[in-house]
Amino acid sequence: MFHALESLAMIAMASASVPLAQTAPTLCKTDETSVFYGQVRDDFGLDVAVCFSGDKNDHTVTVRWEGEGGGAAVSCRSSECDGHIEYSRYTSPHLTILQLAWRKDGSIQRVYQTLERAGPGEVATHTTSHSWESAGAASSDVTTYKVVSDGEPLQLMRLEGVVPTREWATPLLSKALQ
């Protein structure tokens, strides 16, 4: 019984929206809550951060990225993110996949986080990856890169309740490239 309560407490703490400590790397501004920060292992030194600000009923969600060619950001009020920033979750007994996608200047970027366990008693593994789809690029031209993050697995789940959660079977930003 004690282990079950301990596990529930750890899950609750992991899903809480807590700003990163001042010493933790982030691209978020001081008045924003950091949801996710990671370094993409590509050739451009790309860093990506997901942040939100505002009160519970009126959040602004911002995705920032910086790399070798400079940086950019996309923001939206949580009620107006459709077509700009979209989020989905797939969950099964041994696999959870989170996807965040955003569009800027005709390009679409995605961050995926997975938590997978082969079976009962097995240790869960987690991965985070990033892809960038340029406007007009064929899907076969999209490369996915590993992302290194010091945060706990499934950090993007903090967006639930802030950004609408799409059904996994519905492609994110499917109307964005039309």
Side-chain angles (χ1 to χ4, degrees):
M1 178 71 173
F2 177 75
H3 292 292
L5 292 175
E6 183 180 61
S7 296
L8 287 173
M10 291 180 74
I11 290 169
M13 288 186 338
S15 64
S17 297
V18 179
L20 291 176
Q22 294 296 329
T23 58
T26 186
L27 299 176
C28 297
K29 295 181 179 177
T30 56
D31 64 335
E32 296 175 322
T33 299
S34 179
V35 173
F36 170 79
Y37 170 80
Q39 298 172 327
V40 181
R41 294 301 184 211
D42 59 5
D43 295 333
F44 304 105
L46 188 67
D47 290 1
V48 177
V50 180
C51 320
F52 67 84
S53 59
D55 64 37
K56 184 174 175 95
N57 298 320
D58 189 30
H59 283 100
T60 297
V61 179
T62 302
V63 181
R64 288 191 183 83
W65 59 99
E66 289 184 359
E68 192 176 285
V74 62
S75 293
C76 56
R77 293 173 64 138
S78 58
S79 61
E80 300 168 356
C81 285
D82 190 34
H84 303 285
I85 300 172
E86 295 182 3
Y87 168 81
S88 67
R89 175 173 47 97
Y90 170 82
T91 303
S92 70
H94 298 287
L95 176 65
T96 298
I97 305 171
L98 308 178
Q99 178 186 181
L100 180 70
W102 63 95
R103 175 176 56 106
K104 176 125 175 126
D105 300 330
S107 295
I108 294 177
Q109 294 184 62
R110 300 174 194 277
V111 170
Y112 296 92
Q113 290 191 308
T114 64
L115 185 64
E116 183 174 15
R117 184 175 59 164
E122 298 290 326
V123 175
T125 60
H126 62 91
T127 61
T128 302
S129 59
H130 173 271
S131 67
W132 190 316
E133 179 180 346
S134 298
S139 60
S140 60
D141 293 336
V142 176
T143 305
T144 301
Y145 295 96
K146 179 180 179 179
V147 176
V148 176
S149 174
D150 290 338
E152 74 274 355
L154 305 179
Q155 293 168 295
L156 293 177
M157 200 174 280
R158 293 179 184 168
L159 290 172
E160 292 185 14
V162 176
V163 177
T165 302
R166 304 269 184 220
E167 291 184 33
W168 182 256
T170 305
L172 297 186
L173 300 174
S174 58
K175 297 177 185 175
L177 294 178
Q178 296 176 351

